[in-house]
Amino acid sequence: MTASLPSTRAIWTAGACPLDSDGATVAVGDYAGQAHQVMRNLQEALRGAGATLSDVVKTTVYVASSKQEDLVQAWRVVREYMGDHDAPSTLLGVATLGYADQLVEVEAVAVIDDSHS
C-alpha cells in the first residue's frame, strides 16, 4: 500500500560539502568548521529548490573519522542548524570523503507543499 499527496514535491540533495564559492575546501582539519560550511551550502541548495531546513524529512551525515568525538563535533553543528526541527537522521563515520581535506558531508531529503505556490 502506498500513499501520495499530489500537491507535495520531494527534493533529494546531493551531499553538501564544505566548499567555498571558489570550490576550495574550508576549515581544513576542523570538523565543526566544515560542518558549518556544509550546513550553509545545504541551506542554499534547499533554497534553490524552494525549500528550507524545516522541510527536511531525513538527513545522512558523513564524517571522515572513526572517533566518536569527531562525529559528535559535526553532529552538534548539524543539530544547531536544524533547531527544534528533529528530522530522522543517520550519522556515519567513514574512511574518506570525495574532496581533498574533506571531513563532513550531509545529504538531505525534503518535502514541500506546492499547493500554495
Side-chain angles (χ1 to χ4, degrees):
M1 173 186 275
T2 63
S4 65
L5 300 170
S7 64
T8 60
R9 180 167 48 101
I11 301 158
W12 282 266
T13 69
C17 299
L19 305 178
D20 64 17
S21 60
D22 295 323
T25 302
V26 303
V28 173
D30 180 357
Y31 289 91
Q34 287 199 8
H36 279 287
Q37 184 66 39
V38 163
M39 293 307 291
R40 288 190 293 267
N41 290 346
L42 179 59
Q43 286 176 310
E44 185 64 28
L46 289 168
R47 191 171 17 261
T52 67
L53 289 174
S54 64
D55 297 310
V56 170
V57 296
K58 167 79 171 91
T59 63
T60 305
V61 180
Y62 301 95
V63 181
S65 179
S66 61
K67 296 179 183 175
Q68 188 172 19
E69 58 266 23
D70 297 336
L71 278 70
V72 168
Q73 283 185 58
W75 180 250
R76 285 184 177 144
V77 173
V78 171
R79 291 303 318 143
E80 176 185 326
Y81 280 80
M82 296 301 288
D84 291 333
H85 182 62
D86 193 19
S89 188
T90 301
L91 173 63
L92 299 168
V94 298
T96 191
L97 291 165
Y99 290 99
D101 301 313
Q102 182 182 359
L103 300 173
V104 181
E105 185 167 326
V106 177
E107 293 177 344
V109 177
V111 175
I112 59 174
D113 181 355
D114 278 340
S115 66
H116 302 295
S117 306

XYZ file of all heavy atoms in Angstrom:
861
model
N 0.845 -1.170 0.000
C 0.000 0.000 0.000
C 0.891 1.233 0.000
O 1.891 1.284 0.706
C -0.894 -0.017 1.235
C -1.679 1.251 1.389
S -2.621 1.343 2.905
C -4.089 0.488 2.403
N 0.551 2.204 -0.778
C 1.278 3.472 -0.806
C 0.303 4.621 -0.676
O -0.892 4.462 -0.923
C 2.074 3.644 -2.122
O 1.142 3.671 -3.208
C 3.078 2.527 -2.310
N 0.831 5.738 -0.291
C 0.018 6.948 -0.213
C 0.775 8.062 -0.910
O 2.002 8.115 -0.850
C -0.243 7.325 1.241
N 0.045 8.906 -1.577
C 0.693 10.049 -2.213
C -0.150 11.288 -2.005
O -1.360 11.205 -1.863
C 0.910 9.797 -3.707
O -0.328 9.700 -4.359
N 0.526 12.409 -1.973
C -0.148 13.683 -1.851
C 0.204 14.477 -3.099
O 1.348 14.888 -3.270
C 0.313 14.418 -0.592
C 0.059 13.669 0.721
C 0.758 14.368 1.866
C -1.433 13.589 0.978
N -0.751 14.670 -4.006
C -0.438 15.280 -5.284
C 0.148 16.685 -5.196
O 0.820 17.132 -6.108
C -1.763 15.292 -6.040
C -2.797 14.865 -5.090
C -2.149 14.319 -3.866
N -0.070 17.387 -4.114
C 0.424 18.759 -4.030
C 1.805 18.848 -3.373
O 2.294 19.940 -3.109
C -0.568 19.622 -3.264
O -0.667 19.168 -1.928
N 2.439 17.711 -3.096
C 3.754 17.753 -2.472
C 4.838 17.398 -3.483
O 4.586 16.732 -4.480
C 3.860 16.800 -1.270
O 3.630 15.468 -1.705
C 2.882 17.172 -0.185
N 6.039 17.884 -3.177
C 7.186 17.602 -4.028
C 8.351 17.206 -3.145
O 8.657 17.885 -2.160
C 7.534 18.844 -4.841
C 8.704 18.698 -5.767
C 8.794 19.861 -6.757
N 8.672 21.166 -6.157
C 9.719 21.963 -5.889
N 10.938 21.581 -6.157
N 9.512 23.154 -5.365
N 9.013 16.095 -3.494
C 10.186 15.639 -2.749
C 11.440 16.175 -3.421
O 11.534 16.256 -4.646
C 10.223 14.122 -2.698
N 12.403 16.546 -2.596
C 13.681 17.077 -3.061
C 14.786 16.236 -2.435
O 14.874 16.134 -1.210
C 13.856 18.545 -2.636
C 12.726 19.391 -3.214
C 15.227 19.075 -3.032
C 12.500 20.682 -2.475
N 15.611 15.625 -3.263
C 16.771 14.868 -2.789
C 18.010 15.684 -3.125
O 18.251 16.009 -4.290
C 16.875 13.504 -3.483
C 15.944 12.483 -2.944
C 16.219 11.557 -1.981
C 14.582 12.250 -3.331
N 15.108 10.782 -1.739
C 14.091 11.192 -2.558
C 13.727 12.861 -4.249
C 12.801 10.710 -2.684
C 12.442 12.385 -4.368
C 11.993 11.316 -3.593
N 18.793 16.010 -2.121
C 20.008 16.772 -2.395
C 21.184 15.828 -2.591
O 21.222 14.743 -2.009
C 20.359 17.737 -1.245
O 20.768 16.983 -0.098
C 19.193 18.651 -0.917
N 22.136 16.261 -3.376
C 23.440 15.600 -3.378
C 24.093 15.965 -2.051
O 23.622 16.857 -1.337
C 24.273 16.102 -4.550
N 25.151 15.311 -1.713
C 25.824 15.635 -0.465
C 26.343 17.063 -0.464
O 27.061 17.464 -1.381
N 25.959 17.832 0.552
C 26.502 19.182 0.715
C 27.900 19.045 1.294
O 28.124 18.306 2.248
C 25.607 20.005 1.636
N 28.833 19.758 0.702
C 30.243 19.627 1.064
C 30.776 20.937 1.638
O 30.183 21.985 1.444
C 31.043 19.229 -0.177
S 30.518 17.648 -0.864
N 31.927 20.897 2.309
C 32.490 22.100 2.930
C 33.322 22.917 1.950
O 34.512 23.169 2.162
C 33.360 21.523 4.053
C 33.839 20.223 3.493
C 32.670 19.697 2.700
N 32.689 23.330 0.867
C 33.387 24.081 -0.166
C 32.931 25.529 -0.169
O 31.749 25.821 0.043
C 33.107 23.460 -1.541
C 33.422 21.971 -1.696
C 33.034 21.493 -3.092
C 34.875 21.681 -1.391
N 33.870 26.430 -0.459
C 33.510 27.834 -0.595
C 33.064 28.112 -2.029
O 33.002 27.195 -2.859
C 34.655 28.750 -0.157
C 35.906 28.627 -1.015
O 35.844 28.083 -2.148
O 36.972 29.083 -0.549
N 32.786 29.357 -2.339
C 32.264 29.711 -3.663
C 33.280 29.478 -4.779
O 32.909 29.407 -5.945
C 31.783 31.158 -3.680
O 32.860 32.025 -3.363
N 34.552 29.320 -4.417
C 35.589 29.018 -5.409
C 35.837 27.521 -5.548
O 36.712 27.101 -6.306
C 36.901 29.716 -5.036
C 36.785 31.225 -5.100
O 36.079 31.731 -6.002
O 37.385 31.897 -4.238
N 35.106 26.704 -4.771
C 35.268 25.260 -4.831
C 36.402 24.721 -3.975
O 36.765 23.554 -4.098
N 36.935 25.546 -3.092
C 38.010 25.103 -2.199
C 37.430 24.601 -0.886
O 36.452 25.147 -0.367
C 38.967 26.262 -1.932
N 38.045 23.560 -0.332
C 37.640 23.033 0.969
C 38.000 24.050 2.044
O 39.128 24.538 2.092
C 38.344 21.697 1.256
O 38.033 20.773 0.212
C 37.904 21.114 2.587
N 37.037 24.354 2.918
C 37.267 25.315 4.006
C 37.558 24.578 5.307
O 37.297 23.382 5.437
C 36.054 26.257 4.195
C 35.727 27.001 2.906
C 34.838 25.498 4.699
N 38.069 25.303 6.277
C 38.264 24.806 7.639
C 38.983 23.450 7.668
O 38.550 22.517 8.335
C 36.933 24.731 8.377
N 40.089 23.362 6.956
C 40.849 22.112 6.885
C 41.227 21.656 8.296
O 41.739 22.442 9.094
C 42.109 22.287 6.002
C 42.997 21.059 6.055
C 41.694 22.592 4.563
N 40.902 20.403 8.611
C 41.220 19.823 9.910
C 40.222 20.138 11.014
O 40.392 19.690 12.144
N 39.169 20.887 10.710
C 38.215 21.367 11.719
C 36.824 20.799 11.421
O 36.129 21.278 10.523
C 38.202 22.889 11.681
C 37.241 23.529 12.675
O 36.513 22.810 13.383
O 37.226 24.778 12.719
N 36.410 19.792 12.186
C 35.119 19.136 11.952
C 33.960 20.112 12.101
O 33.071 20.155 11.252
C 34.943 17.938 12.897
C 35.851 16.795 12.543
C 37.111 16.673 13.112
C 35.455 15.838 11.615
C 37.960 15.634 12.769
C 36.296 14.781 11.261
C 37.549 14.693 11.847
O 38.382 13.663 11.482
N 33.962 20.901 13.161
C 32.866 21.845 13.376
C 32.864 22.926 12.302
O 31.802 23.284 11.767
C 32.957 22.462 14.767
N 34.015 23.455 11.973
C 34.105 24.485 10.947
C 33.589 23.997 9.607
O 32.866 24.707 8.905
N 33.959 22.766 9.240
C 33.452 22.214 7.984
C 31.951 21.964 8.055
O 31.230 22.202 7.085
C 34.206 20.932 7.620
C 35.599 21.209 7.136
C 36.205 20.061 6.364
O 35.553 19.073 6.031
N 37.491 20.199 6.051
N 31.463 21.522 9.201
C 30.024 21.275 9.338
C 29.231 22.568 9.162
O 28.156 22.563 8.553
C 29.727 20.629 10.687
N 29.754 23.680 9.666
C 29.075 24.969 9.462
C 28.968 25.291 7.973
O 27.904 25.680 7.486
C 29.804 26.102 10.190
C 29.500 26.190 11.638
N 28.297 26.646 12.135
C 30.245 25.870 12.725
C 28.309 26.616 13.450
N 29.482 26.143 13.840
N 30.060 25.118 7.225
C 30.019 25.409 5.785
C 29.082 24.451 5.061
O 28.333 24.859 4.165
C 31.425 25.329 5.177
C 31.471 25.724 3.712
C 31.153 27.187 3.490
O 31.574 28.043 4.270
N 30.429 27.495 2.440
N 29.103 23.190 5.448
C 28.202 22.197 4.852
C 26.751 22.621 5.043
O 25.952 22.589 4.101
C 28.453 20.801 5.463
C 27.307 19.850 5.189
C 29.768 20.229 4.954
N 26.402 23.029 6.243
C 25.012 23.395 6.509
C 24.623 24.686 5.781
O 23.492 24.803 5.307
C 24.768 23.501 8.016
C 24.875 22.157 8.739
S 23.841 20.836 8.036
C 22.199 21.436 8.478
N 25.545 25.624 5.655
C 25.245 26.822 4.860
C 25.013 26.441 3.397
O 24.083 26.942 2.752
C 26.381 27.842 4.984
C 26.434 28.527 6.341
C 27.405 29.691 6.365
N 28.794 29.289 6.210
C 29.632 29.037 7.221
N 29.214 29.152 8.471
N 30.892 28.698 6.978
N 25.850 25.540 2.880
C 25.681 25.092 1.498
C 24.388 24.305 1.323
O 23.711 24.428 0.291
C 26.885 24.276 1.049
C 28.128 25.124 0.874
O 28.066 26.351 0.824
N 29.282 24.474 0.793
N 24.018 23.501 2.317
C 22.759 22.761 2.248
C 21.578 23.729 2.241
O 20.635 23.563 1.451
C 22.653 21.780 3.414
C 21.370 20.956 3.473
C 21.179 20.114 2.214
C 21.368 20.065 4.723
N 21.627 24.746 3.086
C 20.554 25.741 3.094
C 20.408 26.391 1.719
O 19.292 26.595 1.243
C 20.831 26.821 4.147
C 20.605 26.363 5.556
C 20.988 27.432 6.560
O 22.071 28.001 6.510
N 20.079 27.706 7.486
N 21.516 26.709 1.100
C 21.494 27.350 -0.217
C 20.901 26.409 -1.270
O 20.094 26.825 -2.105
C 22.908 27.777 -0.616
C 22.962 28.543 -1.912
C 22.229 29.877 -1.867
O 22.120 30.484 -0.785
O 21.744 30.307 -2.931
N 21.293 25.146 -1.233
C 20.760 24.172 -2.196
C 19.253 24.003 -2.009
O 18.496 23.973 -2.988
C 21.470 22.829 -2.034
N 18.812 23.912 -0.763
C 17.376 23.778 -0.498
C 16.628 25.026 -0.953
O 15.568 24.929 -1.570
C 17.133 23.517 0.990
C 17.552 22.142 1.503
C 17.527 22.125 3.030
C 16.664 21.047 0.922
N 17.186 26.197 -0.658
C 16.555 27.460 -1.060
C 16.367 27.493 -2.580
O 15.340 27.931 -3.084
C 17.402 28.630 -0.577
C 16.753 29.963 -0.694
C 17.501 31.131 -0.022
N 18.896 30.932 0.312
C 19.350 30.616 1.546
N 18.509 30.455 2.549
N 20.648 30.470 1.761
N 17.353 26.997 -3.312
C 17.265 26.955 -4.767
C 16.127 26.076 -5.273
O 15.630 26.266 -6.386
N 15.712 25.116 -4.449
C 14.608 24.233 -4.816
C 13.294 24.666 -4.166
O 12.292 23.955 -4.249
C 14.938 22.791 -4.406
N 13.316 25.821 -3.477
C 12.096 26.322 -2.837
C 11.822 25.721 -1.477
O 10.687 25.732 -1.008
N 12.854 25.212 -0.814
C 12.683 24.551 0.485
C 13.601 25.194 1.525
O 14.472 25.999 1.195
C 12.987 23.061 0.359
N 13.386 24.811 2.777
C 14.235 25.244 3.889
C 14.579 24.025 4.733
O 14.051 22.923 4.507
C 13.514 26.269 4.777
O 12.424 25.613 5.443
C 12.994 27.459 3.978
N 15.415 24.226 5.729
C 15.758 23.118 6.621
C 14.527 22.569 7.341
O 14.483 21.383 7.662
C 16.816 23.559 7.642
C 18.213 23.801 7.089
C 19.128 24.372 8.182
C 18.806 22.520 6.510
N 13.522 23.390 7.570
C 12.315 22.904 8.250
C 11.490 21.965 7.366
O 10.603 21.270 7.854
C 11.451 24.064 8.744
O 10.974 24.816 7.653
N 11.807 21.905 6.073
C 11.131 20.965 5.160
C 11.843 19.617 5.075
O 11.341 18.692 4.450
C 11.058 21.569 3.747
C 10.234 22.842 3.718
O 9.101 22.834 4.243
O 10.744 23.850 3.175
N 13.012 19.510 5.688
C 13.807 18.277 5.618
C 13.117 17.173 6.409
O 12.687 17.369 7.549
C 15.234 18.529 6.145
C 16.001 17.224 6.311
C 15.976 19.469 5.197
N 13.012 15.994 5.786
C 12.389 14.844 6.435
C 13.406 13.741 6.751
O 13.073 12.796 7.461
C 11.222 14.265 5.593
C 10.102 15.285 5.456
C 11.700 13.784 4.229
N 14.647 13.865 6.250
C 15.672 12.854 6.511
C 17.030 13.416 6.134
O 17.160 14.081 5.116
C 15.388 11.594 5.669
C 16.520 10.572 5.582
C 16.594 9.725 6.835
C 17.551 8.553 6.695
N 18.911 8.836 7.112
N 18.025 13.182 6.984
C 19.399 13.536 6.635
C 20.314 12.345 6.863
O 20.026 11.460 7.677
C 19.953 14.724 7.458
O 20.003 14.359 8.839
C 19.140 15.972 7.272
N 21.417 12.353 6.142
C 22.514 11.435 6.390
C 23.761 12.298 6.525
O 24.065 13.099 5.644
C 22.696 10.422 5.252
O 21.453 9.729 5.045
C 23.779 9.404 5.586
N 24.449 12.146 7.655
C 25.631 12.939 7.961
C 26.838 12.016 7.913
O 26.897 11.018 8.641
C 25.514 13.594 9.358
C 26.751 14.418 9.686
C 24.243 14.430 9.454
N 27.788 12.336 7.042
C 29.010 11.549 6.890
C 30.163 12.329 7.503
O 30.360 13.507 7.206
C 29.323 11.315 5.416
C 28.224 10.586 4.669
C 27.254 11.296 3.967
C 28.165 9.197 4.655
C 26.249 10.645 3.272
C 27.160 8.532 3.967
C 26.210 9.254 3.280
O 25.216 8.604 2.600
N 30.952 11.657 8.344
C 32.114 12.276 8.970
C 33.312 11.362 8.734
O 33.262 10.172 9.064
C 31.885 12.489 10.482
C 33.094 13.146 11.121
C 30.634 13.323 10.726
N 34.367 11.919 8.164
C 35.559 11.126 7.845
C 36.402 10.926 9.100
O 37.400 11.609 9.326
C 36.358 11.798 6.737
N 35.950 9.996 9.942
C 36.668 9.678 11.176
C 36.070 8.417 11.797
O 34.886 8.127 11.616
C 36.556 10.825 12.185
O 37.233 10.500 13.385
N 36.888 7.718 12.549
C 36.391 6.587 13.333
C 36.267 6.963 14.804
O 35.891 6.133 15.625
C 37.329 5.382 13.182
O 38.624 5.723 13.670
N 36.546 8.231 15.137
C 36.488 8.689 16.522
C 35.134 9.325 16.816
O 34.717 10.263 16.140
C 37.589 9.713 16.792
C 38.984 9.147 16.660
C 40.005 10.230 16.918
C 41.405 9.684 16.720
N 42.400 10.763 16.851
N 34.493 8.819 17.848
C 33.167 9.315 18.193
C 33.178 10.819 18.485
O 32.243 11.538 18.109
C 32.595 8.550 19.380
C 31.150 8.896 19.652
C 30.528 8.004 20.702
O 31.210 7.370 21.478
N 29.206 7.975 20.716
N 34.230 11.331 19.103
C 34.252 12.763 19.426
C 34.245 13.628 18.161
O 33.682 14.731 18.167
C 35.433 13.130 20.336
C 36.794 12.797 19.780
C 37.350 11.436 20.218
O 36.585 10.529 20.593
O 38.577 11.293 20.165
N 34.830 13.138 17.079
C 34.786 13.880 15.817
C 33.379 13.879 15.242
O 32.895 14.910 14.748
C 35.762 13.278 14.802
C 37.210 13.369 15.247
O 37.548 14.252 16.071
O 38.011 12.535 14.776
N 32.710 12.728 15.300
C 31.335 12.646 14.830
C 30.445 13.583 15.640
O 29.597 14.288 15.085
C 30.812 11.210 14.902
C 31.188 10.294 13.745
C 32.652 9.943 13.729
C 30.342 9.036 13.773
N 30.649 13.620 16.949
C 29.838 14.470 17.823
C 30.050 15.952 17.504
O 29.096 16.737 17.497
C 30.132 14.163 19.309
C 29.518 15.218 20.229
C 29.616 12.775 19.665
N 31.290 16.357 17.197
C 31.540 17.760 16.835
C 30.698 18.166 15.626
O 30.055 19.221 15.624
C 33.015 17.967 16.494
C 33.939 18.048 17.664
C 35.337 18.377 17.195
O 35.554 19.409 16.556
N 36.283 17.504 17.490
N 30.708 17.334 14.606
C 29.920 17.627 13.403
C 28.429 17.580 13.713
O 27.661 18.448 13.276
C 30.278 16.658 12.288
N 28.009 16.582 14.460
C 26.596 16.407 14.783
C 26.036 17.611 15.535
O 24.914 18.057 15.254
C 26.403 15.133 15.595
C 24.984 14.896 15.962
C 24.422 14.975 17.197
C 23.915 14.548 15.068
N 23.082 14.696 17.136
C 22.745 14.433 15.839
C 23.850 14.332 13.706
C 21.519 14.111 15.274
C 22.621 14.016 13.145
C 21.471 13.899 13.934
N 26.798 18.154 16.462
C 26.320 19.310 17.236
C 26.033 20.500 16.316
O 25.060 21.224 16.515
C 27.334 19.685 18.309
C 27.325 18.734 19.468
C 28.265 19.165 20.567
N 28.153 18.240 21.694
C 29.169 17.883 22.452
N 30.372 18.382 22.246
N 28.986 17.033 23.437
N 26.867 20.689 15.323
C 26.649 21.796 14.384
C 25.395 21.540 13.547
O 24.566 22.439 13.371
C 27.879 22.002 13.485
C 27.593 23.024 12.395
C 29.087 22.415 14.323
N 25.242 20.323 13.057
C 24.045 19.985 12.270
C 22.799 20.240 13.104
O 21.840 20.869 12.644
C 24.101 18.520 11.772
C 22.777 18.098 11.152
C 25.261 18.343 10.788
N 22.798 19.790 14.353
C 21.633 19.989 15.234
C 21.393 21.479 15.494
O 20.251 21.912 15.595
C 21.822 19.242 16.565
C 21.780 17.738 16.447
C 20.505 17.169 15.828
N 19.311 17.827 16.321
C 18.239 18.096 15.566
N 18.195 17.764 14.302
N 17.191 18.691 16.087
N 22.458 22.255 15.605
C 22.316 23.699 15.803
C 21.533 24.315 14.645
O 20.625 25.131 14.857
C 23.709 24.323 15.899
C 23.733 25.827 16.007
C 25.163 26.363 15.973
O 26.084 25.691 16.479
O 25.343 27.465 15.416
N 21.845 23.938 13.441
C 21.153 24.486 12.260
C 19.722 23.955 12.155
O 18.837 24.684 11.712
C 21.920 24.166 10.978
C 23.073 25.095 10.738
C 24.274 24.914 11.397
C 22.952 26.175 9.868
C 25.342 25.773 11.191
C 24.015 27.044 9.655
C 25.209 26.832 10.329
O 26.262 27.690 10.122
N 19.512 22.714 12.553
C 18.172 22.127 12.453
C 17.242 22.662 13.545
O 16.024 22.624 13.389
C 18.251 20.601 12.523
C 19.004 19.970 11.353
S 18.325 20.304 9.720
C 16.844 19.304 9.772
N 17.799 23.156 14.626
C 16.992 23.731 15.700
C 16.017 22.730 16.283
O 16.373 21.588 16.551
N 14.783 23.166 16.458
C 13.755 22.295 17.029
C 13.204 21.294 16.027
O 12.431 20.414 16.394
C 12.589 23.127 17.579
C 12.988 23.925 18.807
O 13.918 23.499 19.519
O 12.374 24.992 19.047
N 13.577 21.441 14.766
C 13.112 20.518 13.724
C 13.957 19.250 13.795
O 15.109 19.232 13.385
C 13.223 21.172 12.343
C 12.717 20.314 11.242
N 11.402 19.896 11.169
C 13.354 19.758 10.185
C 11.251 19.136 10.093
N 12.424 19.038 9.491
N 13.391 18.204 14.357
C 14.131 16.970 14.643
C 13.812 15.900 13.600
O 13.133 14.922 13.889
C 13.792 16.483 16.051
C 14.736 15.400 16.536
O 15.842 15.265 15.974
O 14.365 14.683 17.472
N 14.306 16.102 12.386
C 14.085 15.124 11.318
C 14.924 13.873 11.591
O 16.020 13.966 12.156
C 14.482 15.725 9.970
N 14.441 12.699 11.190
C 15.253 11.498 11.323
C 16.589 11.675 10.615
O 16.666 12.314 9.561
C 14.423 10.415 10.634
C 13.020 10.925 10.669
C 13.143 12.420 10.570
N 17.637 11.137 11.220
C 18.969 11.301 10.645
C 19.833 10.095 10.950
O 19.641 9.424 11.964
C 19.631 12.553 11.215
O 20.841 12.811 10.530
N 20.787 9.850 10.070
C 21.793 8.824 10.276
C 23.144 9.516 10.312
O 23.449 10.331 9.443
C 21.761 7.786 9.140
O 20.461 7.198 9.093
C 22.801 6.710 9.344
N 23.944 9.207 11.332
C 25.288 9.756 11.487
C 26.270 8.617 11.289
O 26.215 7.606 11.992
C 25.441 10.367 12.889
C 26.826 10.858 13.300
C 27.292 11.998 12.399
C 26.799 11.297 14.769
N 27.174 8.794 10.306
C 28.111 7.725 9.956
C 29.547 8.214 9.987
O 29.849 9.281 9.450
C 27.833 7.221 8.534
C 26.466 6.629 8.250
C 26.266 6.463 6.750
C 26.339 5.289 8.949
N 30.431 7.402 10.548
C 31.862 7.625 10.411
C 32.330 6.832 9.197
O 31.998 5.651 9.066
N 33.046 7.482 8.308
C 33.514 6.843 7.074
C 35.024 7.018 6.960
O 35.621 7.871 7.622
C 32.802 7.409 5.831
C 31.298 7.147 5.902
C 33.069 8.900 5.666
N 35.640 6.235 6.089
C 37.091 6.285 5.938
C 37.556 7.555 5.239
O 38.558 8.155 5.636
C 37.577 5.056 5.177
N 36.844 7.960 4.205
C 37.256 9.146 3.444
C 36.063 9.703 2.689
O 35.085 8.998 2.453
C 38.418 8.791 2.477
O 38.968 9.985 1.936
C 37.961 7.889 1.359
N 36.162 10.973 2.328
C 35.147 11.625 1.511
C 35.800 12.147 0.241
O 37.022 12.128 0.105
C 34.454 12.743 2.303
C 33.563 12.237 3.452
C 33.210 13.352 4.416
C 32.316 11.584 2.900
N 35.013 12.638 -0.700
C 35.471 12.867 -2.056
C 36.438 13.996 -2.333
O 37.235 13.903 -3.260
N 36.389 15.086 -1.570
C 37.264 16.219 -1.849
C 38.492 16.182 -0.960
O 38.455 15.658 0.158
C 36.517 17.543 -1.637
C 35.463 17.804 -2.674
C 34.123 17.526 -2.409
C 35.798 18.303 -3.920
C 33.144 17.752 -3.359
C 34.826 18.532 -4.884
C 33.508 18.254 -4.595
O 32.544 18.472 -5.548
N 39.573 16.780 -1.431
C 40.794 16.877 -0.633
C 40.488 17.570 0.689
O 39.798 18.592 0.713
C 41.857 17.656 -1.405
N 40.940 16.986 1.782
C 40.790 17.544 3.137
C 39.348 17.610 3.631
O 39.070 18.246 4.644
C 41.430 18.937 3.228
C 42.913 18.916 2.894
O 43.626 18.035 3.425
O 43.352 19.761 2.092
N 38.422 16.962 2.939
C 37.010 16.985 3.353
C 36.784 16.066 4.542
O 37.191 14.902 4.528
C 36.113 16.553 2.200
C 34.640 16.597 2.551
C 33.737 16.128 1.425
O 34.206 15.773 0.348
N 32.443 16.129 1.673
N 36.085 16.585 5.555
C 35.787 15.811 6.757
C 34.296 15.573 6.966
O 33.927 14.655 7.689
C 36.337 16.539 7.998
C 37.845 16.788 8.019
C 38.203 17.670 9.210
C 38.602 15.468 8.056
N 33.432 16.400 6.379
C 31.990 16.343 6.659
C 31.198 16.490 5.363
O 31.575 17.251 4.473
C 31.570 17.467 7.641
C 30.072 17.394 7.951
C 32.379 17.408 8.930
N 30.081 15.757 5.287
C 29.139 15.871 4.169
C 27.749 15.545 4.700
O 27.601 14.670 5.554
C 29.532 14.896 3.066
C 28.705 15.003 1.807
C 29.326 14.254 0.635
O 30.563 14.196 0.537
O 28.547 13.733 -0.175
N 26.735 16.238 4.197
C 25.354 15.988 4.619
C 24.460 15.878 3.396
O 24.452 16.771 2.541
C 24.825 17.100 5.557
C 23.360 16.843 5.921
C 25.676 17.207 6.822
N 23.719 14.792 3.313
C 22.660 14.613 2.311
C 21.330 14.851 3.002
O 21.186 14.549 4.181
C 22.644 13.183 1.769
C 23.835 12.784 0.962
C 23.752 11.321 0.525
O 22.944 10.553 1.093
O 24.499 10.960 -0.370
N 20.364 15.353 2.251
C 19.045 15.595 2.836
C 17.942 15.270 1.839
O 18.133 15.369 0.631
C 18.913 17.045 3.281
N 16.795 14.902 2.397
C 15.564 14.757 1.635
C 14.572 15.727 2.266
O 14.399 15.744 3.492
C 14.998 13.323 1.690
C 13.677 13.237 0.942
C 16.012 12.314 1.159
N 13.944 16.548 1.427
C 12.945 17.498 1.909
C 11.647 17.264 1.160
O 11.649 16.760 0.023
C 13.424 18.932 1.681
N 10.544 17.615 1.782
C 9.223 17.526 1.142
C 8.550 18.872 1.332
O 8.480 19.382 2.462
C 8.375 16.392 1.753
C 6.974 16.399 1.149
C 9.053 15.036 1.524
N 8.078 19.439 0.222
C 7.400 20.732 0.314
C 5.989 20.625 -0.263
O 5.721 19.767 -1.105
C 8.192 21.845 -0.379
C 8.416 21.552 -1.865
C 9.511 22.071 0.320
C 9.062 22.698 -2.615
N 5.137 21.486 0.215
C 3.749 21.550 -0.228
C 3.660 22.596 -1.333
O 3.814 23.784 -1.084
C 2.858 21.933 0.952
C 1.392 21.998 0.606
O 1.036 21.840 -0.593
O 0.584 22.200 1.525
N 3.439 22.129 -2.551
C 3.351 23.039 -3.708
C 1.947 23.612 -3.899
O 1.749 24.416 -4.812
C 3.771 22.313 -4.985
C 5.279 22.259 -5.151
O 5.984 23.074 -4.527
O 5.758 21.388 -5.915
N 0.993 23.249 -3.085
C -0.371 23.725 -3.304
C -0.519 25.221 -3.028
O -1.474 25.826 -3.472
C -1.360 22.943 -2.422
O -1.135 23.218 -1.049
N 0.444 25.810 -2.337
C 0.369 27.240 -2.007
C 1.207 28.068 -2.966
O 1.344 29.270 -2.767
C 0.824 27.491 -0.576
C 0.037 26.731 0.434
N -1.305 26.958 0.642
C 0.373 25.723 1.262
C -1.741 26.139 1.574
N -0.754 25.372 1.964
N 1.778 27.446 -3.988
C 2.637 28.187 -4.927
C 1.817 28.928 -5.941
O 0.773 28.584 -6.332
C 3.554 27.225 -5.677
O 4.274 26.444 -4.785
